[in-house]
């Protein structure tokens, strides 16, 4: 039972980290800071 609880905690932490990363990318993209590969839009390419 303890192993199942440990696995659940690890999976929950991983889901939280992925959710925060996606949220950060989404907010960055909405504010215009994210680059989508089109050098004309992001002005970050050399």
């Amino acid at each position: 039972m303890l192993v199942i609880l440990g696995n659940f905690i690890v999976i929950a932490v991983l889901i939280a980290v992925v959710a925060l990363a996606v949220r950060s990318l989404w907010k960055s993209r909405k504010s215009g800071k994210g680059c989508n590969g089109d050098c004309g839009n992001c002005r970050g390419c050399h």
Side-chain angles (χ1 to χ4, degrees):
M1 187 65 159
L2 191 58
V3 173
I4 294 172
L5 183 61
N7 286 342
F8 178 75
I9 291 171
V10 169
I11 291 170
V13 168
L14 287 175
I15 289 172
V17 168
V18 169
L20 289 173
V22 169
R23 179 178 170 230
S24 174
L25 289 171
W26 183 262
K27 288 179 81 173
S28 174
R29 181 146 173 98
K30 284 189 80 161
S31 68
K33 294 179 185 173
C35 184
N36 61 2
D38 183 9
C39 293
N41 287 335
C42 70
R43 300 183 192 150
C45 299
H46 303 280

